[in-house]
Amino acid sequence: MKHSNFKTNVHNLVLAAMFLALALVLPFLTGQIPQIGGMLLPMHLPVFLCSLICGWQYGAVVGFVAPLMRMALFGMPPLVAAVAMAFELAAYGGIAGFLYNRSRWQCVVALYRALLAAMVGGRIVWAAVRVVMTGVASVPFTWQIFLTEALVNAIPGIILQLVFIPVLMVALDRTGMVRFRREQAGTQAAGN
């Protein structure tokens, strides 16, 4: 039993490292045009996938580390944005992975519930961090700035996430690489 847990932990750690590497590299695809990168949100995809496949702990850590590491290595995003993104992506990873792994049936419906809740929660965390940071810097953070940056500019990225992530998870389920979990009737009766 301990050998199986060790093997699972090593497997998840390797996958989390791969998702972290993807989070560092994907922004280069849109890096030449910053407006497109801000709209497609390329760092979000690996964080969501990491949390759904490896668990909320891995997703939260990868989400927190990715923007800070990218800022340290490549100078982008700028420090203020990187700190706010670190908390935002950590919330995405933590919320999505927690809700998805706690659902009775891991299916597309549970996947959408987890993604939508994480998107709302992550944006609230991002706004809270920005309010604190702008309060220290004496720069106002208005409701209009929040709506523009968190929603209006992010619509293409949100659509991409809501289409790509479920399609990829279904494909992984069909190939047997990552299985949707379904609670059995006998297991439910035994738990009562």
Side-chain angles (χ1 to χ4, degrees), residues 21-32 37 42-43 70:
L22 279 172
L24 296 175
V25 172
L26 279 179
F28 284 122
L29 298 176
T30 60
Q32 305 308 320
M43 291 181 79
R70 183 156 172 68

Side-chain angles (χ1 to χ4, degrees), residues 19-88:
F19 287 122
L20 178 60
L22 279 172
L24 296 175
V25 172
L26 279 179
F28 284 122
L29 298 176
T30 60
Q32 305 308 320
I33 306 170
Q35 294 82 6
I36 292 178
M39 290 179 2
L40 293 180
L41 312 169
M43 291 181 79
H44 296 200
L45 292 171
V47 172
F48 276 125
L49 290 170
C50 181
S51 69
L52 296 170
I53 293 171
C54 301
W56 69 270
Q57 302 94 330
Y58 293 96
V61 170
V62 167
F64 190 80
V65 169
L68 298 174
M69 185 178 283
R70 183 156 172 68
M71 186 266 313
L73 292 173
F74 307 116
M76 287 301 286
L79 179 61
V80 173
V83 171
M85 281 180 66
F87 286 98
E88 175 190 17

Side-chain angles (χ1 to χ4, degrees), residues 93-154:
I95 294 169
F98 182 82
L99 292 177
Y100 182 69
N101 287 318
R102 296 297 185 270
S103 62
R104 284 183 50 198
W105 287 16
Q106 289 180 346
C107 59
V108 175
V109 173
L111 190 60
Y112 274 113
R113 284 183 190 148
L115 286 174
L116 291 171
M119 287 178 187
V120 171
R123 280 169 174 73
I124 291 171
V125 167
W126 173 80
V129 171
R130 285 290 305 266
V131 165
V132 169
M133 292 177 74
T134 55
V136 171
S138 300
V139 178
F141 183 73
T142 64
W143 183 249
Q144 184 179 8
I145 292 172
F146 171 74
L147 288 177
T148 302
E149 291 185 21
L151 297 175
V152 175
N153 292 345

